[in-house]
């Protein structure tokens, strides 16, 4: 196998890896917001259920969760869903990352002084307006470094999709390395992850600068 | 009709109670506001004084329901704002409030702090809101700070901005919750000056403060609170020169020295 053929094959895997990454970000960032609100609910039962959910998501391996999402419907309900593999991966990643993001958001919310809510309230802002116009922009600034951490972890975690025999980039790298008895695919994979995360860090630093409205 | 409106009190408080710890059986209950009834007329500059823990701030904060009263009624322009069906947000737009710790929005420029309310809540054009915002900034001598952010300002400057942020909403009344207590001594004067100007311009004001000079100079009515009750209420002259209440005499002797 020539180097270019190998790159071409792995390139397809990179697209799949990117698909997992982008879709997970797309779903887990807003879902995390919802979970954060449930976690802060004034109803004890809602808070408790959400806490338990977060505990499970953080307390068990993502690999195990992926298997649960994929095989669960069959073993629990006897359901046989066709073409469910990719959906199961996205659900598994999104539900897991949303739990982490929820806790990051919650930490950000705690940094906002009560006075900010009161100042918005006395101007006549409703609850939703206060949150989106006054609180959220400040929360985003506070949590950017933690979110960057989480996103970088996600880039590397995409390789866990191999658990469900999904041919993302790292699965292909392992296959090619085994069949060609070559170390090169691993080097290519390493470079890919590193460059991807460099791009993530660069982008996030750019966004952080945008939010740098005071020293 | 217009006369009629002016004769009516702007705010009428009836049998107001605020009891802390009602729902907590482990702690003793505290009557932070203990049966207060009074009227605030247009043009009044009411200054509330009293020892700490006497309920001054709690009373002020219940006027716009930042503190939910335990019982009693608050009428603003004859509308009972303690009624659950009343849109409190609409009323708050007409009741400006200045806090001890300024509470400017750190993620917005000074000018944006002034314009976001009028634009987003009162539907005014951004141009119109900015023009008036700049006028207000000039009025407090901070027009050159329009593009700065709150953290680049001194405490006194921040409080002046907080005052004009409230004014940008065209309030009927301004509430001040110890506006100079968090300031360095040399910055107290600049904030009091703005408040005096405001009082002279006819703004209705309710002000919780320890600045007795201010109370004497521009207050039209002084309230003395202790243990959640209003125990003295009068014009500044008789209030300061001839206090009949022994607790008030004691308090004044301590703060006036």
């Amino acid at each position: 196998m020539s180097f270019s053929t190998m790159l071409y094959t792995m390139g397809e895997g990179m697209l799949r890896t990117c698909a997992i990454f982008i879709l997970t970000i797309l779903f887990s960032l807003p879902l995390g917001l919802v979970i954060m609100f449930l976690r802060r609910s004034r109803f004890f039962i809602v808070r408790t259920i959400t806490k338990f959910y977060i505990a499970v998501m953080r307390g068990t391996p993502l690999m195990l969760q992926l298997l649960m999402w994929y095989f669960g419907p069959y073993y629990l309900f006897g359901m046989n869903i066709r073409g469910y593999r990719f959906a199961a991966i996205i659900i598994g990643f999104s539900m897991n990352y949303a739990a982490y993001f929820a806790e990051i958001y919650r930490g950000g919310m705690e940094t906002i002084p009560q006075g900010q809510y009161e100042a918005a309230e006395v101007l006549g802002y409703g609850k939703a307006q206060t949150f989106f116009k006054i609180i959220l922009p400040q929360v985003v600034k506070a949590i950017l470094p933690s979110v960057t951490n989480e996103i970088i972890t996600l880039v590397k975690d995409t390789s866990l999709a191999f658990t469900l025999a999904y041919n993302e980039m790292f699965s292909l790298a392992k296959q090619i390395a085994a069949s060609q008895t070559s170390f090169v695919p691993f080097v290519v994979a390493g470079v890919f992850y590193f460059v991807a995360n460099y791009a993530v860090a660069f982008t996030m630093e750019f966004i952080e600068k945008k939010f740098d409205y005071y020293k | 009709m217009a006369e009629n409106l002016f004769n009516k009190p702007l705010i009428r408080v009836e049998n107001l109670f605020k009891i802390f710890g009602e729902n907590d059986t482990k702690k003793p209950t505290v009557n932070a506001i203990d049966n207060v009834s009074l009227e605030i007329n247009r043009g009044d500059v009411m200054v509330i004084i009293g020892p700490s823990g006497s309920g001054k701030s709690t009373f002020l904060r219940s006027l716009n329901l930042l503190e939910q009263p335990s019982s009693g009624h608050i009428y603003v322009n004859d509308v009972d704002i303690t009624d659950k069906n009343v849109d409190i947000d609409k009323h708050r737009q007409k009741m400006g409030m200045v806090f001890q710790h300024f509470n400017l929005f750190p993620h917005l420029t000074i000018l944006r702090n002034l314009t976001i309310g009028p634009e987003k809540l009162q539907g005014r054009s951004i141009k119109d809101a900015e023009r008036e915002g700049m006028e207000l900034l000039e009025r407090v001598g901070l027009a050159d700070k329009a593009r700065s952010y709150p953290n680049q300002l001194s405490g006194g400057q921040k409080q002046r901005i907080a005052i004009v942020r409230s004014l940008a909403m065209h309030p009927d009344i301004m509430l001040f919750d110890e506006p100079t207590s968090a300031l360095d001594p040399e910055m107290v004067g600049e904030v009091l000056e703005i408040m005096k100007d405001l009082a002279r311009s006819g703004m209705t004001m309710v002000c919780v403060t320890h600045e007795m000079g201010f109370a004497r100079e521009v207050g039209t009515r002084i309230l003395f609170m202790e243990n959640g009750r209003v125990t003295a209420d009068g014009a500044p002259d008789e209030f300061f020169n001839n206090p009949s209440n022994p607790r008030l005499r004691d308090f004044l002797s301590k703060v006036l020295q």
Side-chain angles (χ1 to χ4, degrees):
Chain A
M1 187 188 263
S2 72
F3 186 64
S4 59
T5 327
M6 190 189 79
L7 272 190
Y8 183 80
T9 315
M10 285 182 74
E12 262 178 68
M14 286 175 199
L15 288 181
R16 293 193 196 106
T17 296
C18 288
I20 298 172
F21 172 77
I22 290 166
L23 288 174
T24 302
I25 291 289
L26 218 58
F27 291 124
S28 62
L29 283 177
L31 188 61
L33 210 55
V34 175
I35 296 172
M36 181 269 286
F37 279 121
L38 296 177
R39 173 70 180 77
R40 286 168 60 99
S41 165
R42 58 204 166 89
F43 300 110
F44 174 78
I45 184 77
V46 177
R47 271 200 319 269
T48 309
I49 292 172
T50 314
K51 260 197 227 175
F52 181 71
Y53 170 80
I54 293 172
V56 170
M57 286 295 125
R58 294 199 302 192
T60 59
L62 177 52
M63 195 186 282
L64 180 65
Q65 289 170 27
L66 288 171
L67 291 167
M68 285 298 295
W69 285 111
Y70 186 57
F71 294 112
Y74 177 75
Y75 286 112
L76 291 176
F77 309 108
M79 285 157 64
N80 223 335
I81 315 170
R82 283 179 144 269
Y84 174 59
R85 189 185 306 271
F86 185 65
I89 290 168
I90 299 304
I91 293 172
F93 272 96
S94 299
M95 298 299 270
N96 179 275
Y97 271 80
Y100 282 95
F101 283 132
E103 286 297 278
I104 292 176
Y105 296 155
R106 195 168 63 89
M109 295 286 284
E110 313 271 296
T111 67
I112 309 297
Q114 188 58 28
Q116 290 292 309
Y117 292 91
E118 291 186 354
E121 265 179 62
V122 299
L123 282 179
Y125 279 97
K127 281 212 153 52
Q129 282 171 312
T130 302
F131 180 74
F132 285 108
K133 297 252 181 287
I134 306 298
I135 305 303
L136 189 60
Q138 298 183 55
V139 170
V140 169
K141 179 188 164 69
I143 63 172
L144 274 175
S146 319
V147 169
T148 306
N149 258 342
E150 218 37 50
I151 294 179
I152 286 177
T153 307
L154 172 62
V155 169
K156 293 176 288 186
D157 273 359
T158 52
S159 59
L160 286 174
F162 87 89
T163 321
L164 301 188
Y166 182 72
N167 279 333
E168 47 70 51
M169 192 264 298
F170 196 63
S171 306
L172 292 172
K174 278 191 295 187
Q175 287 164 24
I176 298 170
S179 65
Q180 305 291 312
T181 51
S182 159
F183 188 67
V184 180
F186 291 141
V187 176
V188 173
V191 170
F192 171 80
Y193 287 125
F194 184 78
V195 171
N197 278 326
Y198 198 85
V200 168
F202 184 84
T203 311
M204 294 305 282
E205 204 182 316
F206 178 78
I207 297 173
E208 267 183 55
K209 277 202 183 112
K210 283 268 170 206
F211 276 89
D212 200 13
Y213 37 79
Y214 52 86
K215 288 168 278 153
Chain B
M1 289 310 271
E3 277 170 74
N4 215 343
L5 199 73
F6 277 104
N7 289 336
K8 278 193 175 156
L10 181 59
I11 293 182
R12 201 169 82 240
V13 178
E14 271 180 11
N15 305 106
L16 196 70
F17 283 88
K18 174 70 186 184
I19 301 161
F20 285 118
E22 269 177 305
N23 307 319
D24 191 343
T25 47
K26 283 176 220 138
K27 288 181 209 153
T29 56
V30 178
N31 289 17
I33 308 173
D34 195 350
N35 197 9
V36 171
S37 298
L38 54 80
E39 291 180 352
I40 301 167
N41 293 305
R42 273 165 216 282
D44 271 359
V45 178
M46 178 189 276
V47 180
I48 307 176
I49 63 172
S52 73
S54 59
K56 314 180 291 285
S57 281
T58 310
F59 174 70
L60 186 82
R61 287 162 56 84
S62 54
L63 290 179
N64 59 6
L65 299 194
L66 273 188
E67 298 284 356
Q68 195 66 41
S70 302
S71 68
H73 297 277
I74 299 165
Y75 297 89
V76 179
N77 285 323
D78 264 350
V79 178
D80 184 0
I81 59 168
T82 58
D83 184 341
K84 289 271 181 293
N85 299 320
V86 166
D87 182 1
I88 185 63
D89 295 335
K90 275 273 170 283
H91 281 275
R92 280 179 174 152
Q93 290 181 22
K94 288 286 162 197
M95 304 171 84
M97 187 170 207
V98 175
F99 301 89
Q100 184 177 356
H101 296 287
F102 334 123
N103 297 347
L104 295 179
F105 302 132
H107 61 301
L108 304 175
T109 63
I110 297 304
L111 185 60
R112 194 67 189 133
N113 263 278
L114 266 62
T115 58
I116 188 168
E119 192 205 332
K120 300 285 177 207
L121 300 170
Q122 297 182 328
R124 294 171 57 189
S125 74
I126 182 76
K127 235 182 167 168
D128 187 37
E130 282 191 352
R131 184 188 46 74
E132 197 192 340
M134 286 309 294
E135 278 172 19
L136 284 166
L137 287 179
E138 260 156 49
R139 185 164 154 194
V140 293
L142 291 169
D144 58 322
K145 302 290 185 194
R147 304 284 161 209
S148 303
Y149 283 91
N151 277 30
Q152 298 167 313
L153 269 55
S154 73
Q157 289 172 329
K158 280 186 211 172
Q159 198 58 299
R160 282 142 75 190
I161 298 296
I163 293 171
V164 287
R165 175 175 67 175
S166 289
L167 291 180
M169 299 293 283
H170 297 272
D172 292 333
I173 183 171
M174 287 283 283
L175 311 175
F176 292 87
D177 190 4
E178 303 201 26
T180 57
S181 298
L183 296 176
D184 289 341
E186 77 266 26
M187 292 172 183
V188 170
E190 62 191 71
V191 171
L192 289 181
E193 246 352 277
I194 306 275
M195 290 171 62
K196 285 177 195 168
D197 277 349
L198 201 57
R200 286 187 203 108
S201 74
M203 175 62 75
T204 311
M205 292 163 64
V206 182
C207 186
V208 171
T209 186
H210 298 292
E211 297 292 332
M212 295 302 147
F214 172 83
R216 211 179 256 234
E217 197 183 327
V218 296
T220 59
R221 191 173 158 196
I222 318 291
L223 245 59
F224 179 65
M225 285 188 77
E226 46 179 332
N227 302 325
R229 281 188 291 268
V230 176
T231 52
D233 179 355
D237 274 348
E238 54 168 280
F239 200 97
F240 286 108
N241 299 334
N242 196 14
S244 51
N245 178 329
R247 281 279 294 133
L248 172 59
R249 261 205 304 273
D250 181 49
F251 177 76
L252 287 176
S253 73
K254 275 178 193 146
V255 292
L256 290 175
Q257 312 235 345

